[in-house]
Each structure stands twice: as structure tokens, then as C-alpha cells.
Amino acid sequence: MNRAAAAIFLAVLCSACPKRIEFGPEGQLTDAEVVYQRVRQNQDNVISLEGDAKLRVESPQQSGTIGMFLSVTRPALLHLETFDFFNRPLASLVGDGTRFGLYQTETHTYYQGPASPQNVSRFLPVVLPGEELVAIMLGQVPLIPPERMTLELDTKEGVYVLTLHRGTASQVLQVHPKYLRVVKSHVRGVPGYDLAFDDFLERGGLIFPGKVELIAKQAGTKLQLRYQQIKLNGRPDLTLYELTPPEGSKVVEVDESGQELPAGGPESPAPPVPGS
């Protein structure tokens, strides 16, 4: 056998070999409930994030990469600013769980209204509730409440496979065997989206994914968030979540579906007369 053939043979042989798996301090886990609880604990210990990122969008309507500054705090405090290639501001969005405000630089227009999924996702090609969007940006996977669960070890991929079942719905989680953080999430049986996490970093004892992907197959859309300089669990700057229109901007009130309301908004009902 010549060298070239030997190299090809070894490459094919090694490709079929299982990955060497490095487990955490508890060793290999075999109880699905234990892995489930560890995943929840490791997700829940990240409360806030502030820093810079690159957002890559691939959708039928648009594709491209933009810069982003973000500050998010559980459960639903949200501050996003986007910038073009030349670092010029494009838009900023703020949500406090109840109300939202979106400022578009080009038109000098400020939209405000209820913090509904349609409104807090206005400059993303997917519609998510504010709490869900914050959770995903914090590297967390929204988990279906399981009625039962199973656990396997995928030696080829080098991950735990934790499957949650509830009725006809299921959620397949690939879990990092050392960090006990979700690497991939696939939801089946109900409308949903897939998530993927990679480039795990250690920040002050916390394990955090440096790359987050959301794939909405039905919409043909993928969002990829790559973190650059970030700070975890710092004291949040609450002024970032203030809903204040920029001076001189045109203010537009919208309803829960994102539709513009007439100038002045709907009339409020008259207050009751005392003693009536």
C-alpha cells in the first residue's frame, strides 16, 4: 500500500472512530433527571449580559451581517442597538417586559407600544416573546415541561442526548458532557425552532456559549449571534432600559400586532364619577 492510499485508509478509519469524551467532575451521568436538572441549573445562573456582537441574518427577505451592542437582563429587559459596516447606528430597541420602544435612525421615527412578540421582534425576521428572546441571547434554551424523558450517550458525536416528551411534542437536546450545557435543541410535534450553541467560554466561573444560532426552518430563516466583548452578571445599567423617545423624533404609537394607531391613540374611557 503506497503512502497516499494509506493516508486515505487511516482517514476513513478514524472518521468512524468515536470521539474521546471528557466528562465533568461527576463522571459519566446515566440518570436523565440528573442531566436535566444540571442543564437547568447551568442555564439559570446567567442573569444578565452586556457587550458587543455580530448578528448574521439569512432569510428570504434579507441576508447580511451587522454589528450590535446589547444589554439583556432576565426576565425581559432588553436593549439592542444595531450598526452598519461603517459603525453608523441603524436602529435601537428597548423593552421592559410591558412596553417597548424602537427608534429608526434613517427616518428619525420612534415606535412605541405594548411589548408583544410582534413588537419586540420588529427588526428580526422571527417573532419571539421578549422573555424568550432574552433567554436565547443569554445562552438558554426554553425547555418544554417534560412528562417523561430519556437519556443516551452518543459516542460518535461525543454528547449526551436528552429527549423530553410532552404529549405529541418532543425536544431533543444534545448536551455537552463536561459543561452540561445544551449544544443543540430540536423541537418536534409543535411549532418551534432549532437552537445551536458553540465556542463555549469561561467568564468568572460561568460557562457561556460565544456563538448562538436560531434556525426557523418553516420560515427559511437563520440568525447567528457571535459575541465579542461581553460582561456576564454585572450590575445592569437601568438607564439603558428607559423608554424615552430621542429629542425631535416622530413618535408613532402601535398596537399589540404592530399596527399604527391614529394620532393621539384611542380615547381613554372617562373616569367614574365619585359616589355614582
Side-chain angles (χ1 to χ4, degrees), residues 48 50 71-74 77-79 94-96 234-244:
S48 66
E50 182 177 313
S71 178
V72 293
T73 300
R74 286 170 39 197
L77 293 179
L78 183 70
H79 178 109
V94 176
D96 65 3
R235 178 177 294 180
D237 180 358
L238 296 181
T239 62
L240 291 174
Y241 307 119
E242 293 178 353
L243 296 157
T244 306

Side-chain angles (χ1 to χ4, degrees), residues 120-159:
V120 298
S121 304
R122 280 180 77 98
F123 61 38
L124 297 174
V126 293
V127 177
L128 295 171
E131 290 190 15
E132 219 163 290
L133 183 59
V134 167
I136 292 169
M137 288 184 165
L138 290 175
Q140 300 166 2
V141 179
L143 302 171
I144 66 173
E147 295 172 334
R148 62 185 180 89
M149 62 185 80
T150 61
L151 178 69
E152 299 176 4
L153 180 65
D154 186 333
T155 56
K156 183 178 180 181
E157 295 295 327
V159 295

Side-chain angles (χ1 to χ4, degrees), residues 17-261:
C17 296
K19 291 184 178 180
R20 179 181 177 275
I21 301 176
E22 184 180 0
F23 296 103
E26 296 178 276
Q28 181 179 347
L29 301 175
T30 57
D31 188 324
E33 179 67 29
V34 171
V35 174
Y36 175 72
Q37 293 299 336
R38 296 293 186 276
V39 166
R40 291 191 59 183
Q41 291 166 8
N42 291 336
Q43 289 194 153
D44 291 348
N45 61 18
V46 180
I47 298 171
S48 66
L49 178 151
E50 182 177 313
D52 300 316
K54 291 290 185 182
L55 175 65
R56 171 72 184 172
V57 177
E58 297 178 15
S59 73
Q61 295 79 27
Q62 58 180 331
S63 293
T65 302
I66 55 176
M68 175 180 286
F69 168 80
L70 67 162
S71 178
V72 293
T73 300
R74 286 170 39 197
L77 293 179
L78 183 70
H79 178 109
L80 307 178
E81 298 178 30
T82 55
F83 305 88
D84 66 13
F85 178 79
F86 300 101
N87 206 36
R88 293 175 299 203
L90 296 172
S92 62
L93 182 140
V94 176
D96 65 3
T98 302
R99 299 277 295 173
F100 96 105
L102 170 67
Y103 176 63
Q104 293 186 333
T105 305
E106 185 177 4
T107 60
H108 200 33
T109 303
Y110 185 84
Y111 298 89
Q112 63 181 15
S116 62
Q118 290 78 6
N119 285 331
V120 298
S121 304
R122 280 180 77 98
F123 61 38
L124 297 174
V126 293
V127 177
L128 295 171
E131 290 190 15
E132 219 163 290
L133 183 59
V134 167
I136 292 169
M137 288 184 165
L138 290 175
Q140 300 166 2
V141 179
L143 302 171
I144 66 173
E147 295 172 334
R148 62 185 180 89
M149 62 185 80
T150 61
L151 178 69
E152 299 176 4
L153 180 65
D154 186 333
T155 56
K156 183 178 180 181
E157 295 295 327
V159 295
Y160 291 119
V161 179
L162 177 66
T163 305
L164 311 180
H165 300 272
R166 185 175 185 84
T168 59
S170 64
Q171 185 174 16
V172 180
L173 304 171
Q174 291 187 10
V175 179
H176 196 291
K178 179 181 179 181
Y179 302 137
L180 296 177
R181 291 292 305 258
V182 174
V183 177
K184 292 183 179 179
S185 167
H186 305 279
V187 176
R188 299 293 180 263
V190 291
Y193 48 82
D194 296 338
L195 293 169
F197 303 89
D198 204 351
D199 298 344
F200 286 90
L201 313 167
E202 186 169 355
R203 291 285 188 275
L206 300 172
I207 302 299
F208 188 79
K211 183 172 75 172
V212 178
E213 284 188 351
L214 183 151
I215 303 98
K217 292 184 177 179
Q218 291 184 337
T221 296
K222 181 168 80 171
L223 305 179
Q224 183 187 92
L225 194 62
R226 282 187 175 273
Y227 291 110
Q228 296 175 312
Q229 297 180 353
I230 59 171
K231 178 175 64 175
L232 299 177
N233 288 357
R235 178 177 294 180
D237 180 358
L238 296 181
T239 62
L240 291 174
Y241 307 119
E242 293 178 353
L243 296 157
T244 306
E247 186 175 353
S249 60
K250 176 185 176 183
V251 178
V252 177
E253 191 78 25
V254 298
D255 61 16
E256 288 194 355
S257 65
Q259 298 298 311
E260 293 187 18
L261 295 172

